[in-house]
Amino acid sequence: MLITSEKSDHSMSNGHSNNHVSSSTKDDSSKNGLVRPVKNGNIPKLPQGNVTPMELKEEFEDTPFFIVLCIYVSNAILTVFGYLRDFLRKSGLEKNFMACDNREGYVSLYRSFESFYTRNIYMRIRDCYNMPICSVPGARMMMQERVSHDYNCTFEMKDRAFEVINMGSYNYLGFAENNGRCTHSVAKVIRSYGISTCSTRHELGTLDLHIELEKLIAEFVGCEDSIVIGMGFATNSTSIPAIAGKGCLLMSDELNHSSLALGCRLSGAKIRVFKHNNMKNLEHHIRTAIIEGQPKTHRPWKKIIIIVEGIYSMEGTIVNLPGLIALKKKYKCYLYLDEAHSIGAIGPRGRGVVDYFGCNPQDIDFLMGTFSKSFGAAGGYIAGSKVG
């Protein structure tokens, strides 16, 4: 991946646009604000006070045309044979191993194409997916051997296992092991505290370990305080409704995780989606929202919150955090940053995209992260400043 930075048309200082710049200042900002292309996905850290790049151009290696052609041709062949096999099943010439949705008087429970895809395409290659592992998800792990006698509709487990290289796990730092310092420490704590409090944090579910962990997280990410939540997905889906509601506006990246999307919908706030990592499009939406106000009443929004991820795991893109901070300061918006995949994985000190770009953690209002990736555990956290 090749990522380059482009400076904006106007120099930015603390998020405010300076349209009138002297020639000497302009030359200096051009030197400091223009970041040369760097290979392997590295973005040089911008010293504080320099021109903030409003765009990050991300380029990825193109898929070879032959590979693309083979994929399309393979799918076309499977689709054609799928319709043929459906015809044979209806005619009774081929045995149907799939569940049938043919209750009289009922509409179809499943969508036709999704059911067709599952029957005729996914089932043909299902033996390559959802394979059970029988070891810890380390760099190398063991997979259970299985065999199917009904064309991958069901599987029979064998007593044999084989070793594979793990390239699909979120165990980025290798903490999810069955031996070592982390494992022994966890086993010691479980013997003392058990495996569950069987209560909520509001009642009898808060341990001294939770308080200690929250202080440790706040210190690690550079914030005043934090709160720990027992599930990573729920950290987003329950925290966003707590900070936003009716009369608020949420600016959400179009590729945000489903937990963020769910939290936005549950909040009851208005949602506007901006193009992925596009600061110009985001600024356009913010300016329009401030000018027009709320629908019908045109009253000012109670608050505007920008919601993004640090690293988008499906696309492999990194958020333009310096550009977001500039917009946040310029238009006085709040910034919610999901560091589920970036915390512990990037940055000189492993503290996520904030550390990666050399930004000030105090510029992010809500720092969210999970323990289920780099830290090899479960749950999530929200860090930020204390409310007086």
Side-chain angles (χ1 to χ4, degrees):
M1 179 174 67
L2 176 65
I3 304 181
T4 62
S5 301
E6 282 188 2
K7 63 190 180 87
S8 60
D9 296 336
H10 308 297
S11 61
M12 302 294 294
S13 176
N14 295 326
H16 296 280
S17 176
N18 301 320
N19 296 330
H20 303 287
V21 185
S22 63
S23 59
S24 60
T25 306
K26 187 175 181 181
D27 293 337
D28 293 337
S29 65
S30 298
K31 291 180 180 179
N32 296 329
L34 182 60
V35 183
R36 299 182 180 277
V38 180
K39 295 182 179 180
N40 298 327
N42 294 321
I43 303 177
K45 182 171 70 175
L46 295 174
Q48 297 295 325
N50 287 351
V51 177
T52 303
M54 292 301 291
E55 289 188 5
L56 291 180
K57 286 190 175 179
E58 296 162 312
E59 300 177 5
F60 299 90
E61 182 181 358
D62 293 332
T63 305
F65 175 77
F66 178 74
I67 301 297
V68 175
L69 180 63
C70 288
I71 292 173
Y72 279 107
V73 171
S74 299
N75 277 280
I77 293 174
L78 288 173
T79 302
V80 171
F81 275 88
Y83 282 111
L84 177 60
R85 295 186 67 184
D86 275 355
F87 173 76
L88 295 176
R89 293 188 187 108
K90 290 182 180 179
S91 303
L93 300 177
E94 179 179 331
K95 187 176 180 181
N96 186 11
F97 293 97
M98 301 291 295
C100 298
D101 186 18
N102 57 358
R103 287 175 291 180
E104 185 177 355
Y106 288 84
V107 297
S108 178
L109 185 62
Y110 307 105
R111 295 181 182 178
S112 58
F113 182 77
E114 290 182 358
S115 181
F116 171 84
Y117 178 85
T118 302
R119 286 194 309 272
N120 301 293
I121 299 178
Y122 175 72
M123 279 296 172
R124 301 292 295 272
I125 57 176
R126 187 175 171 224
D127 60 323
C128 300
Y129 298 94
N130 307 322
M131 298 187 68
I133 64 174
C134 52
S135 68
V136 295
R140 293 177 179 271
M141 61 184 182
M142 303 299 294
M143 276 193 171
Q144 191 77 25
E145 186 175 337
R146 61 183 182 177
V147 63
S148 176
H149 302 288
D150 52 7
Y151 303 100
N152 296 338
C153 287
T154 60
F155 291 97
E156 177 186 344
M157 297 298 170
K158 296 294 184 180
D159 295 332
R160 298 184 298 273
F162 55 96
E163 187 181 55
V164 296
I165 298 176
N166 182 9
M167 300 186 69
S169 174
Y170 293 144
N171 186 19
Y172 298 143
L173 302 181
F175 288 158
E177 296 288 346
N178 59 357
N179 193 17
R181 180 179 177 182
C182 294
T183 304
H184 299 326
S185 176
V186 170
K188 181 179 179 181
V189 172
I190 289 177
R191 282 193 291 267
S192 301
Y193 290 86
I195 60 174
S196 175
T197 60
C198 297
S199 181
T200 65
R201 291 289 302 273
H202 291 292
E203 297 176 355
L204 300 175
T206 298
L207 303 175
D208 57 340
L209 294 178
H210 292 140
I211 306 300
E212 182 181 354
L213 176 60
E214 289 171 346
K215 292 180 179 179
L216 185 62
I217 292 170
E219 180 182 353
F220 181 73
V221 299
C223 294
E224 293 183 24
D225 207 348
S226 69
I227 181 172
V228 172
I229 300 173
M231 179 181 177
F233 190 100
T235 304
N236 282 329
S237 62
T238 60
S239 296
I240 295 176
I243 61 176
K246 188 177 180 180
C248 300
L249 178 62
L250 304 178
M251 296 289 185
S252 178
D253 189 288
E254 64 179 351
L255 298 182
N256 274 344
H257 189 262
S258 58
S259 60
L260 293 171
L262 178 60
C264 291
R265 290 197 296 268
L266 292 176
S267 69
K270 290 292 182 181
I271 306 169
R272 290 188 183 173
V273 179
F274 63 93
K275 294 180 181 179
H276 175 56
N277 228 7
N278 191 318
M279 297 301 104
K280 290 183 179 179
N281 183 253
L282 173 59
E283 183 173 19
H284 170 73
H285 281 293
I286 295 175
R287 289 171 63 93
T288 303
I290 293 174
I291 293 171
E292 296 180 353
Q294 299 185 39
K296 298 181 180 180
T297 64
H298 301 290
R299 293 178 180 176
W301 296 98
K302 292 181 179 179
K303 69 183 79 168
I304 299 177
I305 305 177
I306 305 170
I307 300 179
V308 295
E309 295 186 50
I311 291 180
Y312 295 82
S313 60
M314 296 295 101
E315 293 75 26
T317 54
I318 302 175
V319 69
N320 183 359
L321 188 59
L324 283 171
I325 293 176
L327 290 179
K328 165 198 177 308
K329 291 182 176 180
K330 182 177 180 179
Y331 296 101
K332 310 303 179 185
C333 302
Y334 291 98
L335 179 57
Y336 186 107
L337 177 62
D338 180 346
E339 293 233 57
H341 288 274
S342 53
I343 190 68
I346 62 173
R349 299 172 297 171
R351 302 184 184 188
V353 293
V354 179
D355 187 30
Y356 184 70
F357 285 103
C359 297
N360 186 353
Q362 303 301 321
D363 291 333
I364 293 90
D365 303 287
F366 305 98
L367 264 175
M368 178 270 178
T370 64
F371 303 117
S372 56
K373 277 72 175 182
S374 296
F375 302 118
Y381 66 85
I382 294 284
S385 59
K386 293 182 178 179
V387 179

